[in-house]
Amino acid sequence: MSIFTITYAELEETNRWLFETVTDSLDVVAKLLTENEVAVPCVPRYAAGYLVPYSFAGNLRLLFEYARGRKKLSRTLVEKMTIDFYRLMNFSPMMLVREHASEDADDDITEDEKKKADYRDALDFAASLLPRTIATILLGANARIQIENNRWISPILLEALTGILPEHAESEGIHERLDEAGHCSYDPVPIHSLLKTLDKTEFH
């Protein structure tokens, strides 16, 4: 699956899956704390010119449209939305406790370093959800932002954005390189050229 093979039905399904997953977990917490059920309203809103079923679905639609070359987003916003999704899916009281403890203990770690670590964790988490559509959207958007910033991308990002498997990259004219740890990455220049064709793909 790549960002260009996702259908409207799959996008709708991923919105429904995310809302149900998060609200089901909130319901469990509410019952334990209060012996009452919680009802989180699903309030539609407009985002990227489209009506979406709830607020965070608007972020997903923006990332989806950006990854397909239909909207412009900043690197900061793409990374923030990716981290927000990670926190949404991994939220727990203990997570906040650990964050506060880490802030108190790690005075030597800068805010920028912490954001970079959070971003890496968020990307790893998104990759762990493959082959879910939501993972492809998140990884596809982050792949495009790296390509636009002329950065070499990982095999997972390459496949999410273009659908090209690592073993087929060279035959598609996409050069690879290995770092000292043996990790493979791909040249952004030919990928950028390929996107000019892929961006014309219709969404069904």
Side-chain angles (χ1 to χ4, degrees):
M1 176 186 288
S2 81
I3 197 71
F4 295 98
T5 62
I6 293 172
T7 65
Y8 182 76
E10 288 169 334
L11 188 60
E12 290 293 297
E13 175 59 30
T14 211
N15 283 332
R16 183 165 51 253
W17 172 81
L18 178 59
F19 191 82
E20 290 174 355
T21 298
V22 174
T23 54
D24 284 351
S25 66
L26 290 175
D27 194 43
V28 170
V29 173
K31 284 182 179 179
L32 289 172
L33 287 175
T34 67
E35 296 186 357
N36 290 311
E37 293 185 0
V38 63
V40 178
C42 192
V43 181
R45 57 163 287 187
Y46 279 95
Y50 298 95
L51 183 66
V52 294
Y54 54 90
S55 182
F56 198 83
N59 289 356
L60 293 178
R61 186 67 193 231
L62 283 171
L63 289 172
F64 176 73
E65 295 293 339
Y66 167 71
R68 289 172 56 88
R70 304 299 174 89
K71 294 286 181 183
K72 291 292 185 183
L73 294 179
S74 69
R75 174 183 165 189
T76 301
L77 188 55
V78 170
E79 292 181 358
K80 179 184 181 303
M81 288 179 177
T82 306
I83 293 171
D84 284 348
F85 172 76
Y86 172 67
R87 288 178 171 163
L88 175 68
M89 294 297 288
N90 289 277
F91 175 79
S92 73
M94 279 311 299
M95 188 178 192
L96 287 182
V97 171
R98 291 190 200 100
E99 284 185 359
H100 290 313
S102 176
E103 288 171 3
D104 294 337
D106 298 331
D107 292 333
D108 294 336
I109 298 177
T110 66
E111 186 66 25
D112 186 54
E113 289 172 332
K114 185 177 183 308
K115 285 181 180 178
K116 287 180 180 178
D118 287 346
Y119 179 60
R120 288 194 298 270
D121 289 343
L123 282 181
D124 288 343
F125 177 72
S128 75
L129 293 178
L130 288 170
R132 287 193 175 276
T133 300
I134 198 166
T136 302
I137 292 172
L138 288 158
L139 295 172
N142 281 279
R144 182 177 284 269
I145 204 70
Q146 292 192 29
I147 293 298
E148 290 184 351
N149 283 275
N150 204 35
R151 294 182 175 183
W152 290 58
I153 63 173
S154 69
I156 286 178
L157 293 182
L158 173 69
E159 185 176 353
L161 183 61
T162 67
I164 297 173
L165 297 173
E167 57 266 31
H168 299 148
E170 199 67 37
S171 64
E172 295 287 343
I174 301 171
H175 309 297
E176 65 179 51
R177 70 180 181 189
L178 295 176
D179 62 17
E180 293 179 354
H183 298 135
C184 185
S185 58
Y186 296 92
D187 188 350
V189 176
I191 299 172
H192 197 276
S193 298
L194 177 62
L195 288 177
K196 293 177 182 178
T197 300
L198 292 174
D199 287 348
K200 298 175 183 178
T201 305
E202 293 298 321
F203 175 48
H204 300 288

